[in-house]
């Protein structure tokens, strides 16, 4: 059995980015679709895994947003490329630790959405992220926010966090870790290394665990100020929201994961 060490995740992701570079022309023509979204209460800051509390069926549906730039992707065009909103020009991808015999869906590389049967409210497409058999660091579904031959940073300092709709199937187990990589954790930021002291290595994302996911669609709000590094540095790092390279959904090793992700965006 040959596994890909966590320190070589960079090689896996860079290889994926090379595959995605070929879709640059598609991104130029991609038309954004404004996805409805509900706002978090000012009196109750977003909590990592807090589910909606309303029981009205309409509470399971996204609500309109006044700011189209909050959208990252609603997946309705069926493509891996993000909508061209603001300066965003990236794509969705899947990377894994390379465990022999492990399975992942979508396959490693560009991550295209699938048709929902039945639809989720007005949404007809979402990404189905599923797999099993990984033994090192697992598998990741990520969205590079800007891409021009290489990953570039995006300024998210005007937002409080990210939000998304998600549901698990009965086969899902383990922990999903949701986070972002900034200039101090992404190799292109020049502030981290592949092999160094604990906490200083690349891909030590600012993130949070979602240990339990419902089999019903739920919207989650993940506040940036709630994110921490899984391997803390000796001097705690502060997330650089002006230089965010990617958003990631990382499945833990040793477990079967099976979930659907839809309507990913930001909130103020």
């Amino acid at each position: 059995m040959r596994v890909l060490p966590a320190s070589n995740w960079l090689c896996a992701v860079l290889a994926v980015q090379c595959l995605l570079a070929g879709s640059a022309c598609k991104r130029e023509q991609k038309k954004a679709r404004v996805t409805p979204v509900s706002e978090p209460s000012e009196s109750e800051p977003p909590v990592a895994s807090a589910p909606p509390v309303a029981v009205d069926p309409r509470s399971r549906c996204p609500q309109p947003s006044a700011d189209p730039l909050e959208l990252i992707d609603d997946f309705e065009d069926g493509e891996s490329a993000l909508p061209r909103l603001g300066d965003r020009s990236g794509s969705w991808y899947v990377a894994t630790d390379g465990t022999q015999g492990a399975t992942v869906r979508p396959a490693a590389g560009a991550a295209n959405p699938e048709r929902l049967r039945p639809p989720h409210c007005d949404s007809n497409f979402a990404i189905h992220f599923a797999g099993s058999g990984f033994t090192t660091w697992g598998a990741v579904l990520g969205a590079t926010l800007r891409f021009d031959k290489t990953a570039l940073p995006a300024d998210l300092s005007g937002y409080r966090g990210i939000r998304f709709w998600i549901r698990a199937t009965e086969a899902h187990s383990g922990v999903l870790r949701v986070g972002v990589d900034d200039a101090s954790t992404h190799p292109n930021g020049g502030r981290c290394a592949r092999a160094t002291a604990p906490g200083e290595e690349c891909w030590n994302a600012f993130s949070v665990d979602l240990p339990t996911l419902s089999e019903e669609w739920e919207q989650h709000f993940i506040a940036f100020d709630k994110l921490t590094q899984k391997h803390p540095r000796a001097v705690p790092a502060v997330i650089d929201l002006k230089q965010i390279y990617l958003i990631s959904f990382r499945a833990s090793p040793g477990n079967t994961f099976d979930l659907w992700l839809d309507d990913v965006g930001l909130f103020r």
Side-chain angles (χ1 to χ4, degrees):
M1 177 181 294
R2 184 184 66 83
V3 297
L4 184 65
S7 62
N8 285 347
W9 187 11
L10 169 61
C11 297
V13 174
L14 293 180
V16 168
Q17 290 177 347
C18 290
L19 292 174
L20 298 179
S23 62
C25 59
K26 291 184 180 179
R27 298 192 197 106
E28 294 295 334
Q29 300 173 355
K30 185 168 183 179
K31 183 178 181 181
R33 176 177 180 270
V34 178
T35 301
V37 62
S38 58
E39 289 288 342
S41 168
E42 289 293 333
S43 61
E44 298 182 359
V47 178
S49 58
V53 295
V55 295
D56 181 346
R58 292 191 61 81
S59 70
R60 297 292 181 179
C61 296
Q63 300 301 311
S65 172
D67 180 6
L69 291 181
E70 289 183 356
L71 176 68
I72 292 177
D73 206 344
D74 60 12
F75 306 115
E76 291 303 291
D77 63 359
E79 296 181 356
S80 62
L82 302 184
R84 292 295 297 239
L85 294 168
D87 61 353
R88 292 174 216 154
S89 56
S91 295
W92 291 92
Y93 69 89
V94 166
T96 77
D97 64 20
T99 301
Q100 185 176 356
T103 62
V104 68
R105 173 181 183 175
N112 292 313
E114 297 182 27
R115 184 173 291 277
L116 286 167
R117 294 185 174 88
H120 170 217
C121 302
D122 294 330
S123 179
N124 293 295
F125 287 86
I127 286 188
H128 187 190
F129 183 44
S132 64
F134 295 99
T135 60
T136 308
W137 54 260
V140 62
L141 169 66
T144 299
L145 297 179
R146 294 178 60 212
F147 192 89
D148 184 6
K149 298 182 180 179
T150 188
L152 300 170
D155 185 353
L156 302 187
S157 60
Y159 301 93
R160 291 169 54 201
I162 60 175
R163 44 88 179 171
F164 51 87
W165 286 82
I166 195 168
R167 76 171 183 87
T169 74
E170 61 181 9
H172 180 78
S173 63
V175 174
L176 183 71
R177 193 162 179 87
V178 182
V180 297
D181 278 284
D182 70 353
S184 67
T185 66
H186 193 283
N188 289 9
R191 303 180 192 173
C192 61
R194 291 192 221 176
T196 183
E200 303 292 334
E201 66 273 14
C202 294
W203 305 121
N204 186 17
F206 293 87
S207 52
V208 65
D209 286 336
L210 296 184
T212 303
L213 293 175
S214 172
E215 292 181 28
E216 300 293 332
W217 283 106
E218 290 184 341
Q219 187 175 36
H220 291 259
F221 292 93
I222 307 295
F224 291 133
D225 62 9
K226 302 296 183 184
L227 302 181
T228 59
Q229 291 182 290
K230 191 170 184 178
H231 305 289
R233 297 184 175 189
V235 177
V238 177
I239 187 171
D240 184 355
L241 292 176
K242 289 185 176 294
Q243 299 189 73
I244 300 296
Y245 283 83
L246 64 88
I247 296 171
S248 63
F249 298 81
R250 183 169 173 173
S252 58
N255 296 288
T256 295
F257 55 95
D258 196 333
L259 54 90
W260 290 83
L261 179 71
D262 199 9
D263 294 296
V264 182
L266 303 162
F267 65 90
R268 296 184 186 276

